Amino acid sequence: MSGSREDDAVGYKRPPPHTRFQLGRSGNPTGRPKRRPSFQAALLAELAATMPSKDPQRAGSKLQALVRTLVDSAIAGDARAQSVLVGVLARIGEADEHDAASLTPDDRDILDAYVGGELKRRAGETDATPAAGERHED
């Protein structure tokens, strides 16, 4: 091979010049295809959208309107709406109770002992290391 044609050399890790990536051009110009939104994502996005209303006090998200309608129906005596509302309230109550009761007194003692020990250890480390401007005199 001649010295002037070294750029045109074809072989291992040297594809022909006409098939190489062009400078300033992406190897994947269309990019990765967009994912289709899941049902849950589409539902949450739609419920978060605002609803226009003639009355500014009634304007709000679709989720608020849905909850308002459900509560109004339950109050009006709709048995199905009442059962749905009671079920949701029970689940919310269970979630709050689970969060509050997740630590037993023994767990709390262990956690407090660990945090106390860790704070003492870190305080000891900061006392042992000199500040940036201080020097040890020998």
Side-chain angles (χ1 to χ4, degrees), residues 70-86:
L70 178 66
V71 170
D72 290 345
S73 297
I75 290 172
D78 183 359
R80 186 170 210 166
Q82 289 172 348
S83 68
V84 168
L85 195 57
V86 168

Side-chain angles (χ1 to χ4, degrees), residues 3-131:
S4 64
R5 303 295 254 166
E6 284 186 27
D7 291 338
D8 295 338
V10 176
Y12 181 68
K13 293 190 177 182
R14 292 183 178 269
H18 69 278
T19 62
R20 293 178 187 168
F21 284 116
Q22 302 298 316
L23 291 178
R25 215 165 191 203
S26 172
N28 187 10
T30 57
R32 184 177 185 166
K34 301 277 188 217
R35 288 180 51 184
R36 296 180 67 195
S38 66
F39 175 77
Q40 180 181 4
L43 177 64
L44 292 176
E46 187 63 29
L47 288 174
T50 58
M51 281 183 27
S53 177
K54 295 177 186 174
D55 183 13
Q57 292 177 341
R58 299 289 286 181
S61 71
K62 293 178 181 179
L63 179 61
Q64 289 171 330
L66 181 66
V67 170
R68 187 180 308 122
T69 304
L70 178 66
V71 170
D72 290 345
S73 297
I75 290 172
D78 183 359
R80 186 170 210 166
Q82 289 172 348
S83 68
V84 168
L85 195 57
V86 168
V88 168
L89 290 173
R91 282 193 217 135
I92 291 172
E94 288 172 5
D96 290 342
E97 290 170 5
H98 179 68
D99 291 341
S102 62
L103 290 178
T104 64
D106 291 336
D107 292 340
R108 174 61 64 190
D109 292 340
I110 292 169
L111 185 61
D112 289 342
Y114 172 76
V115 169
E118 189 67 18
L119 289 174
K120 287 179 186 176
R121 185 185 66 81
R122 289 184 183 181
E125 285 179 359
T126 57
D127 292 342
T129 57

